[in-house]
Amino acid sequence: MKTKYTKRTGSARVRRSRALGEWRFDDVRAQSYVILSASAAAAGVIEAPVFEEQQQELETAGWIVTVFDNDENTYEQVMAILMIATACTAEEAYMEAWEIDHLGKSVVHYACEKECREAADIISKIGIRAFVSAE
């Protein structure tokens, strides 16, 4: 796409004549504004497609892993095992470790029953009590 700019000659502005397929900068800016306005107005209408695997995960989700506080494990140990068991970030693991320490327990994972049981088994290997239940 070719872009034509407006040229200044002295005090008067002279526009180059447009041939078929040529654009002025003002035309491109106006078109992008219209496209952005239309997409912003329709943003609430467009929905992402749900694939079969995602649909199955949504249908089988509804299980949680609750971890309880103990006096043996450090924050670093709890954070490390949570990141391994639930594939969470260090920031999320720290927040969950803080909740466990200050509130006595925390829900650390939400998924299907099989995935929750696997996560709870990994967490319990370092002596932390983890409980799996339906939500």
Side-chain angles (χ1 to χ4, degrees), residues 85-98:
T86 64
C88 66
T89 64
E91 292 83 16
E92 186 178 354
Y94 176 78
M95 289 188 294
E96 291 168 347
W98 185 92

Side-chain angles (χ1 to χ4, degrees), residues 25-92:
F25 183 70
D26 295 335
D27 292 341
V28 174
R29 190 177 338 162
Q31 286 180 352
S32 65
Y33 175 75
V34 170
I35 292 169
L36 291 174
S37 298
S39 63
V45 178
I46 299 173
E47 294 182 16
V50 177
F51 298 105
E52 289 183 26
E53 298 100 20
Q54 292 173 339
Q55 186 65 32
Q56 289 173 352
E57 288 177 14
L58 291 173
E59 291 171 356
T60 59
W63 291 78
I64 58 172
V65 179
T66 306
V67 175
F68 296 90
D69 189 21
N70 69 17
D71 294 331
E72 291 94 37
N73 298 101
T74 65
Y75 266 63
E76 290 81 16
Q77 291 171 338
V78 174
M79 288 173 57
I81 201 69
L82 289 176
M83 288 189 292
I84 293 169
T86 64
C88 66
T89 64
E91 292 83 16
E92 186 178 354

Side-chain angles (χ1 to χ4, degrees), residues 1-2 11 22-23 33 53 61 91 105 107 109 117:
M1 175 170 30
K2 294 181 182 179
S11 62
E22 293 183 340
W23 295 83
Y33 175 75
E53 298 100 20
E91 292 83 16
K105 66 180 180 177
V107 174
H109 198 58
R117 294 207 184 275

